[in-house]
Amino acid sequence: MSRSVEVTVSRPLGELLEFICYVPFRVAASLATIGFFVLAAIAPKVLQTHDPLAIDLSSSLQSPSIVHWLGTDQLGRDLYSRVLEGAGQSLAIGLGATALSMSVALILGVAAALSGGLLDSILTRIFDVLFAIPTLLLALVFVTVFGPSVLTEVIAVGIGTAPGYARMIRGQMLSIKGTGYVEAAKALGHPFPRIVWRHILPNAMSPLTAMVTIGVGQAIIWASGLAFLGLGVAPPAPEWGALLNAGRNYVIYAWWLEIIPGLAVTIFALSLTIVGGHLQDRLEGKI
Amino acid sequence: MLILMNGNEAVKRVAHNPLVWFARRILSGVAVVWAAATFAFLIQCLLPGDRAQIIINVRSGNVGPAAPAELAAINAQYGFDQPLVVQYAKYVWRILHGDLGESYQQHRAVAGIIAEQIGPTIVLAIAALLMAWAIAILTTLLIAGRDNIWSKLLSGAQIFLATVPPYWLATILLVIFAVNLRIFPVVGESSPMGLVLPTLALALELSGFFGQVVLNEFTRVLEQPFVTSARARGMSDFGVRLHHVLRHAALPGITLSGWALGKLLSGAILIEVVFARQGLGGVLVAATSSRDVPIVSGAVLISAGLFVLVSVIVDLAYRILDPRMKLT
Amino acid sequence: MLSPTARPTRRFTGRSNHLARKMAATLAVLSGLSQWTPSVHAQEGVAVKRGGVIRYGHFQEPACLFGGWVQQWYLQRQYSDNLVARSDDGKIAPWLAESWTISDDKKVYTFEIKPNVKFTDGTALDAQAIADNINGWLSNNPDLRNPTAAPYLSDSFELAKAIAPQRLQVTLKVPFEPLLNVFAQSSQGILSPTALKRGLAVNCEKPVGSGPFIVDKWRHGREVTFRRNPDYNSAPAIAKHQGPAYVDGISWKFLPDQTVRYGSLITGETDAIYDIPAVAWKDANSRFAVLRHITGGTPLRLALYAARPPFDDVLVRKAFAYSTDRKAAVDTSFLGSLPFEGNGALSQSSPEYLHELGQAYAYDIRKANQLLDQAGWTERDRNGVRVKNGNSLTVRISYSNAFLKPDGEQALQVIQQQARAAGFDVRLQPTNPADFFAGRNLGPDDYEIVLLYWVAPGAEIFRISWKPDQNGEPNRFNPSRFQDSALWEVIQRAEQDFSSAERKGLYQQAERKIVDEAPVIGFTVLDVTLATSPSLKDVWLDHGSVGEPVFYDAHFDERK
């Protein structure tokens, strides 16, 4: 936990620079992987070898080859290009869900920690209730109520993972609130919102950056789990979960249709975990 | 680890009188379940679209609007035409009597449906929990404090396993070990052999999490003087490790196991679908896609109750096992 | 997934009127029936191995062991008997009724009931028991009402009564030719009246019939176990043997995941499975015995919304049909496991099916473009989509996986791409089952095309699909909204015609008109498939009905 007395907003920037300069190999490899997928998400056409939606009935269900690096699906569409095409939607779902989850968690967690007293107990109780419901079940509830769509998926995963973050943020806030420099700032007559903004939030946020990094990967896994159950969106667009769900039926005869999208999810989430873990180590090492 | 924090908080709250503590714990548990029940009720009301319409069409397999008379009959049957407050009061009253409502699709009591399906799910969850701990402890014994290629590989594997989507892993295990190699049955049903693959699929992910936590704890312990002295007394390296790893895995083990409950239930839903196993998973997925809300909200209520129960047990176990906590 | 909506439609069969014509003479047509006297199909004498339990991997699990859904018919076929049976070629054959007569005015049916038959709870299966069943189907008692029989018979049915212990009389208000077809459906299996008094909840779990198997236990989410009825003496004339079943029982497992289901057959954990996955179709044919029944009624078809632009113009409807190579789409997507069906009006297993319509609207992009030009869709925007009066030629296809296998969704993606060449902007609107049932993407302004079907044996389905809106009440089963009074006239005339040849002719006239007007475009068929391991013999599908698997004659060969 970071408890340095000098807190400035610009600190994370410097940290980032420093972080990039001294990275072990696995972190570098992970960063490269993330970069690759982010590029695929932003500009899929750059990396694709085929049109991911182009149907070519003559080359259906081909195993990986030089022409089709990761094989083709039933309609002869190039799986490699489809996985890259799907990166955009999957990343968007992961980021969206994490952003939602973090915002909810921040608002509730900060409110709980700062208010204390009755509001704190009520909010803590709400976290308890939501925490008591397994993430996937909570997501199923949202899908049941609103029907499957990208938005539902984002909301379901976002709300499902929020209680954990909220609890953590509350804990962070409480521990910072009690530290000497906050007391000192109070004694100096700084207005309370300013103290929160300048001192408490930045300190609470640092450890969160690591959690967010890991969280995006986890959110993608949850979302593709929903899609895997057939409760995600089922468009022609090759979102990773949809690819996993479609590939499942072919797994005995066309293994690549299931293995490859799963590998994409795993590798991406793994890279985020490694980077997140590294961030965490760095931040904790600063104590 | 947030749960460790929560455990500590709970422990701090352990006032001096255990009875007071226990009473408060139970009360807050009841509050959580009540809130979950309210949440479950709200879900049913929030449902967009006419509930009666959905019920009629799902039952008959038709699409398109039903006749007003048909709708009215369903509304009357389920009491949808009554004010929300009345519906809520009836709902809570029925829950107090163990009645979770009736499935729209199966025409059976939700409590009965969940009761008959939850058994296999709990068996799977517990088996996976035990297996995850076995794997985590074993790998920790092998790699903690060592710096060779194997320990690096194993700890890499742990991180990998903690990330890999369990439903995907399950599909791969099924195809390789059941369909192709025929070591395990494809249709597991209730046989012990049939439990192996689903358990493994569920446990591997968890073992990655457990392993990382235990490893951190344990690496610290290994550096402490009493370990060195034990070695000096001639205890074998493995003996020292086993002794300490178990001792130091115990406490985080309890809290982590409690925390894992939610993860296990989530995972079990997916794994059961992959293996076409009997259990809550199949029922919940079917209920979700046909908007059988009573089943989904019943499951919400039951899992909240389970969670409360487990966390009380965890806190109790903590009090009993960790004498230090009583001193604070 | 076959027919989540097995609709209770039954046929006025043309061919069975070989029988009906003779009956029209008036009385007993025992001559026509003699060919059906039991034990004609004899495996009697041939030593058949008895014993063993069939482990059968099924797909979907219903909420009750009987009812209007086809998944329930499959189950009921195992434990109950019907009044009459229907053979593969559509002839009505004796079952619980050994013979019957039809009055001159075709309103009174008198059945002679097979003696000494008992339900498996010991209740006597006599004329009174059957009358109680039939009257219950048409009553308003929710425990007894039959969702399949009621819509057929409620307009014509008057009363069923036992006029002697073994003689049943069914009286109609107006003649209804398909009555016996309705009685032959598995959902009209006769259940023990004593057991029915226990109420719906108990009967759903443990129904009691007189069939070759007895429901032993239903482990929800897992399996239904059946055991042999040792006293079985009421097999239908169309069965391959008489007397008790050969096997000791059936373990009817619910395995919704197709990898698990097919995998279990590969590893020998099941002896038979339902619904062979398309991807395994070739493999299954090479190593297992494969049974298939193509269901009657409508094929799986694209219904084009004909009440507003662009598909209110028959030229545009035809253009869409020509612009899509649906045959290639079906062949590739279903990997050869399902045939293409170009006749959108009627499924190929219906007796009135016209083969020459099976290839209607074969892919012809030039013709499609020509028709669209002719219809005034001459301009194109920069994406190549045709425009007329400022409106784009956009086609939204609504569908749900409740009505479409995953492979079918792939086929739609092919169609989407193909139609683009002719200037159609096709958008897919996948809808999850619950939303679909709630009416999402199905409103009058929500779609240009929808994928639906309706399982029935024959052309009587036309009544369901093409009955025009009457008295302000829209026909909710006509998603194309195509209304044609001349067509309806022909359909009604067919229904009232007791001459099989004429009726068939009328139905085919209607069929031609439907295909010609193209409010529906053929896509593929719906089928029931079963793969059985080589050691399990003589499983058959009830082609006379909707293809229910029949395990009564099944037995294991010596190796087992």
Side-chain angles (χ1 to χ4, degrees):
Chain A
M1 253 145 258
S2 163
R3 291 194 186 157
S4 44
V5 177
E6 281 308 311
V7 185
T8 53
V9 182
S10 66
R11 202 189 71 177
L13 252 181
E15 230 167 47
L16 192 70
L17 272 174
E18 197 183 331
F19 173 81
I20 291 167
C21 294
Y22 307 94
V23 287
F25 171 73
R26 62 194 179 108
V27 180
S30 301
L31 280 172
T33 311
I34 295 169
F36 177 76
F37 281 118
V38 169
L39 180 61
I42 298 168
K45 297 282 171 281
V46 176
L47 299 166
Q48 284 165 359
T49 55
H50 293 73
D51 177 354
L53 299 175
I55 292 167
D56 175 10
L57 300 184
S58 60
S59 55
S60 115
L61 288 182
Q62 288 182 358
S63 53
S65 64
I66 296 179
V67 183
H68 297 286
W69 297 349
L70 302 179
T72 62
D73 69 3
Q74 208 170 3
L75 302 182
R77 294 175 294 199
D78 182 64
L79 187 59
Y80 165 73
S81 305
R82 285 176 70 71
V83 168
L84 291 188
E85 184 77 15
Q89 208 172 2
S90 287
L91 257 62
I93 290 173
L95 284 171
T98 312
L100 175 69
S101 161
M102 275 298 162
S103 326
V104 172
L106 258 180
I107 294 168
L108 296 183
V110 170
L114 294 185
S115 61
L118 185 64
L119 185 62
D120 184 24
S121 345
I122 291 174
L123 286 173
T124 315
R125 226 20 88 217
I126 291 177
F127 302 157
D128 280 349
V129 173
L130 288 176
F131 202 79
I133 305 167
T135 309
L136 187 67
L137 187 54
L138 205 54
L140 287 184
V141 166
F142 277 90
V143 176
T144 312
V145 174
F146 299 111
S149 71
V150 176
L151 192 64
T152 312
E153 229 170 87
V154 169
I155 294 174
V157 175
I159 302 291
T161 49
Y165 292 130
R167 278 185 165 188
M168 196 169 46
I169 290 170
R170 177 176 167 273
Q172 285 282 342
M173 298 290 296
L174 282 179
S175 70
I176 296 163
K177 207 174 143 189
T179 53
Y181 64 88
V182 175
E183 298 300 321
K186 268 189 196 162
L188 286 174
H190 289 296
F192 190 62
R194 193 181 126 108
I195 298 173
V196 171
W197 186 247
R198 290 292 302 271
H199 300 281
I200 299 183
L201 265 180
N203 273 295
M205 288 305 287
S206 306
L208 278 182
T209 49
M211 289 311 298
V212 168
T213 316
I214 298 170
V216 172
Q218 290 295 313
I220 291 176
I221 291 178
W222 283 120
S224 56
L226 273 182
F228 182 82
L229 291 175
L231 300 171
V233 271
E239 190 261 327
W240 288 346
L243 288 180
L244 273 170
N245 186 36
R248 194 176 140 206
N249 288 332
Y250 297 92
V251 67
I252 298 184
Y253 294 95
W255 55 267
W256 56 95
L257 288 179
E258 178 70 4
I259 303 290
I260 303 289
L263 267 182
V265 173
T266 309
I267 290 174
F268 187 63
L270 187 63
S271 303
L272 285 170
T273 307
I274 290 172
V275 172
H278 184 71
L279 261 174
Q280 203 165 23
D281 288 351
R282 300 277 308 185
L283 292 167
E284 278 174 9
K286 286 221 150 157
I287 296 173
Chain B
M1 286 290 102
L2 53 127
I3 251 312
L4 291 176
M5 218 140 60
N6 178 49
N8 289 333
E9 268 171 38
V11 169
K12 270 182 221 151
R13 268 192 264 127
V14 171
H16 300 288
N17 188 339
L19 268 180
V20 171
W21 170 82
F22 193 69
R24 283 187 60 177
R25 204 68 193 71
I26 294 291
L27 260 180
S28 76
V30 170
V32 167
V33 174
W34 171 73
T38 309
F39 176 68
F41 175 77
L42 286 176
I43 299 164
Q44 308 198 15
C45 303
L46 269 176
L47 194 68
D50 188 44
R51 270 185 283 180
Q53 178 70 65
I54 296 172
I55 292 171
I56 289 172
N57 278 349
V58 162
R59 276 186 190 168
S60 63
N62 284 329
V63 293
E70 264 183 283
L71 290 171
I74 295 286
N75 276 324
Q77 185 186 347
Y78 289 95
F80 296 155
D81 45 3
Q82 289 164 334
L84 276 189
V85 184
V86 176
Q87 289 189 43
Y88 179 67
K90 282 189 175 169
Y91 173 77
V92 173
W93 181 251
R94 283 202 309 264
I95 287 177
L96 290 176
H97 291 77
D99 178 2
L100 299 181
E102 188 187 282
S103 155
Y104 293 162
Q105 213 185 2
Q106 298 198 32
H107 320 261
R108 293 194 298 142
V110 169
I113 294 171
I114 292 179
E116 79 192 4
Q117 300 294 340
I118 204 168
T121 304
I122 288 181
V123 168
L124 175 62
I126 290 177
L129 184 67
L130 294 178
M131 194 190 272
W133 275 118
I135 297 171
I137 289 173
L138 208 67
T139 41
T140 306
L141 281 176
L142 290 173
I143 63 182
R146 289 184 180 154
D147 194 20
N148 57 30
I149 181 79
W150 294 111
S151 71
K152 276 191 178 144
L153 271 180
L154 270 174
S155 73
Q158 266 187 349
I159 298 174
F160 178 77
L161 288 175
T163 318
V164 70
Y167 45 89
W168 179 66
L169 192 64
T171 311
I172 296 172
L173 290 175
L174 175 75
V175 171
I176 295 178
F177 293 103
V179 177
N180 288 334
L181 297 178
R182 306 196 184 177
I183 298 171
F184 298 101
V186 179
V187 185
E189 292 187 344
S190 50
S191 69
M193 278 301 267
L195 194 59
V196 175
L197 287 182
T199 305
L200 199 61
L202 194 51
L204 282 177
E205 185 202 16
L206 215 51
S207 74
F209 277 101
F210 289 173
Q212 288 175 3
V213 175
V214 177
L215 185 64
N216 284 343
E217 283 277 298
F218 186 55
T219 315
R220 248 183 351 161
V221 172
L222 276 184
E223 287 154 6
Q224 290 186 8
F226 60 84
V227 175
T228 327
S229 73
R231 280 214 187 88
R233 284 201 312 274
M235 223 168 147
S236 75
D237 183 46
F238 186 77
V240 172
R241 281 168 174 266
L242 188 64
H243 182 73
H244 288 288
V245 92
L246 287 181
R247 229 184 91 186
H248 287 86
L251 280 180
I254 292 165
T255 4
L256 267 182
S257 301
W259 163 82
L261 175 81
K263 214 166 171 52
L264 279 168
L265 283 179
S266 295
I269 292 173
L270 286 155
I271 300 289
E272 282 167 354
V273 170
V274 172
F275 287 93
R277 267 179 71 84
Q278 187 181 19
L280 275 184
V283 173
L284 275 175
V285 171
T288 306
S289 58
S290 62
R291 293 231 169 134
D292 199 338
V293 191
I295 290 189
V296 179
S297 55
V300 165
L301 195 57
I302 296 289
S303 65
L306 265 180
F307 179 84
V308 166
L309 188 72
V310 168
S311 51
V312 169
I313 293 172
V314 165
D315 288 354
L316 265 178
Y318 228 99
R319 278 176 65 87
I320 294 163
L321 281 181
D322 194 350
R324 281 172 299 167
M325 290 307 169
K326 285 188 182 151
L327 300 175
T328 49
Chain C
M1 161 173 26
L2 189 101
S3 34
T5 49
R7 284 298 83 211
T9 8
R10 218 35 184 173
R11 65 194 265 143
F12 310 141
T13 154
R15 285 187 214 160
S16 72
N17 272 55
H18 147 74
L19 216 60
R21 222 178 315 130
K22 289 185 184 173
M23 285 172 177
T26 1
L27 297 158
V29 201
L30 293 169
S31 65
L33 293 169
S34 61
Q35 58 174 307
W36 290 118
T37 32
S39 85
V40 165
H41 298 258
Q43 278 214 345
E44 310 290 304
V46 183
V48 168
K49 185 183 184 307
R50 288 170 193 274
V53 171
I54 298 172
R55 297 158 304 163
Y56 168 61
H58 195 69
F59 179 17
Q60 286 164 305
E61 180 175 13
C64 178
L65 294 185
F66 59 92
W69 188 25
V70 73
Q71 302 292 336
Q72 296 165 313
W73 300 25
Y74 296 155
L75 286 153
Q76 193 172 357
R77 185 68 176 74
Q78 315 305 324
Y79 64 80
S80 79
D81 291 327
N82 286 60
L83 192 57
V84 291
R86 186 169 174 273
S87 67
D88 289 6
D89 59 2
K91 291 194 181 83
I92 297 297
W95 195 340
L96 287 173
E98 291 185 313
S99 65
W100 55 91
T101 58
I102 305 172
S103 70
D104 268 343
D105 62 1
K106 303 193 174 57
K107 287 186 184 169
V108 182
Y109 287 63
T110 309
F111 299 89
E112 302 298 330
I113 306 304
K114 194 177 281 183
N116 304 321
V117 179
K118 279 193 160 57
F119 291 106
T120 51
D121 63 355
T123 309
L125 202 173
D126 51 14
Q128 188 58 50
I130 300 176
D132 288 349
N133 267 266
I134 297 175
N135 291 323
W137 298 341
L138 278 303
S139 74
N140 283 323
N141 181 344
D143 282 5
L144 302 177
R145 190 172 170 83
N146 183 321
T148 309
Y152 274 116
L153 305 179
S154 50
D155 286 343
S156 55
F157 179 79
E158 189 167 287
L159 185 70
K161 70 172 182 221
I163 51 174
Q166 302 303 130
R167 183 170 296 154
L168 171 75
Q169 194 176 68
V170 176
T171 318
L172 303 180
K173 285 179 276 192
V174 288
F176 184 67
E177 200 272 345
L179 180 74
L180 295 179
N181 281 319
V182 174
F183 283 159
Q185 295 173 24
S186 299
S187 52
Q188 275 74 260
I190 306 296
L191 301 178
S192 161
T194 325
L196 284 175
K197 291 199 180 84
R198 299 174 302 172
L200 193 60
V202 182
N203 279 305
C204 274
E205 290 283 317
K206 222 171 163 25
V208 177
S210 58
F213 296 100
I214 302 170
V215 177
D216 205 23
K217 194 167 173 51
W218 182 6
R219 295 181 183 87
H220 289 269
R222 202 165 123 195
E223 62 174 351
V224 177
T225 51
F226 294 94
R227 63 172 198 276
R228 172 173 45 205
N229 174 2
D231 305 318
Y232 188 57
N233 59 355
S234 50
I238 59 170
K240 295 179 178 172
H241 82 292
Q242 294 289 315
Y246 296 127
V247 293
D248 294 333
I250 311 167
S251 162
W252 186 291
K253 301 170 196 292
F254 300 108
L255 304 173
D257 185 272
Q258 66 178 40
T259 304
V260 170
R261 197 168 62 245
Y262 189 68
S264 72
L265 186 65
I266 295 180
T267 61
E269 287 165 63
T270 50
D271 306 305
I273 58 148
Y274 176 81
D275 197 42
I276 302 162
V279 70
W281 179 251
K282 281 198 187 110
D283 182 60
N285 275 282
S286 68
R287 57 209 279 188
F288 305 113
V290 169
L291 305 173
R292 166 194 256 179
H293 171 70
I294 291 176
T295 55
T298 75
L300 183 61
R301 60 188 182 185
L302 306 167
L304 276 49
Y305 200 103
R308 78 179 139 71
F311 287 140
D312 57 342
D313 186 341
V314 65
L315 297 177
V316 183
R317 296 203 291 269
K318 287 185 175 179
F320 185 81
Y322 281 121
S323 74
T324 49
D325 190 354
R326 287 156 291 138
K327 182 165 175 10
V330 167
D331 288 350
T332 317
S333 304
F334 291 98
L335 300 165
S337 68
L338 278 184
F340 164 65
E341 175 57 84
N343 179 343
L346 202 58
S347 161
Q348 52 188 265
S349 60
S350 305
E352 303 83 358
Y353 176 78
L354 285 165
H355 276 278
E356 71 254 34
L357 299 179
Q359 302 298 323
Y361 303 111
Y363 179 56
D364 188 342
I365 186 76
R366 269 190 39 226
K367 209 161 184 175
N369 280 318
Q370 198 184 328
L371 285 166
L372 286 172
D373 289 340
Q374 198 183 330
W377 292 89
T378 43
E379 295 164 52
R380 290 204 187 215
D381 69 10
R382 54 192 156 90
N383 298 322
V385 177
R386 284 179 187 264
V387 180
K388 180 181 173 183
N389 305 332
N391 297 316
S392 297
L393 190 50
T394 302
V395 171
R396 293 163 297 170
I397 304 184
S398 288
Y399 63 95
S400 166
N401 57 11
F403 293 83
L404 193 65
K405 296 183 191 185
D407 307 306
E409 186 165 10
Q410 307 247 2
L412 285 183
Q413 294 174 23
V414 178
I415 286 179
Q416 178 180 36
Q417 198 195 27
Q418 291 169 335
R420 194 164 290 153
F424 286 98
D425 174 18
V426 178
R427 296 178 191 170
L428 301 183
Q429 301 190 139
T431 316
N432 80 307
D435 284 337
F436 211 58
F437 289 135
R440 180 144 171 234
N441 291 338
L442 290 171
D445 293 317
D446 291 345
Y447 65 92
E448 276 72 42
I449 294 181
V450 65
L451 242 90
L452 286 170
Y453 61 83
W454 193 291
V455 175
E460 70 271 21
I461 186 66
F462 289 167
R463 159 175 281 271
I464 309 273
S465 302
W466 307 114
K467 182 178 175 181
D469 301 351
Q470 279 172 348
N471 310 326
E473 192 184 326
N475 177 1
R476 61 189 285 215
F477 307 123
N478 174 10
S480 81
R481 309 308 307 141
F482 175 76
Q483 315 213 22
D484 187 306
S485 52
L487 174 66
W488 180 233
E489 193 61 37
V490 175
I491 293 169
Q492 281 179 309
R493 268 171 54 211
E495 286 171 346
Q496 286 150 16
D497 200 322
F498 264 66
S499 146
S500 71
E502 278 174 33
R503 190 172 61 251
K504 189 170 177 178
L506 286 165
Y507 270 137
Q508 288 179 341
Q509 191 184 330
E511 189 179 341
R512 279 206 179 81
K513 189 162 175 61
I514 295 164
V515 173
D516 196 45
E517 296 277 349
V520 285
I521 298 175
F523 188 46
T524 184
V525 299
L526 294 152
D527 65 353
V528 176
T529 56
L530 221 67
T532 60
S533 84
S535 66
L536 181 66
K537 308 287 189 199
D538 284 334
V539 179
W540 50 281
L541 299 181
D542 195 344
H543 296 283
S545 186
V546 295
E548 298 93 328
V550 179
F551 293 113
Y552 165 60
D553 292 316
H555 56 91
F556 291 101
D557 73 2
E558 297 309 319
R559 278 178 297 153
K560 177 87 184 179

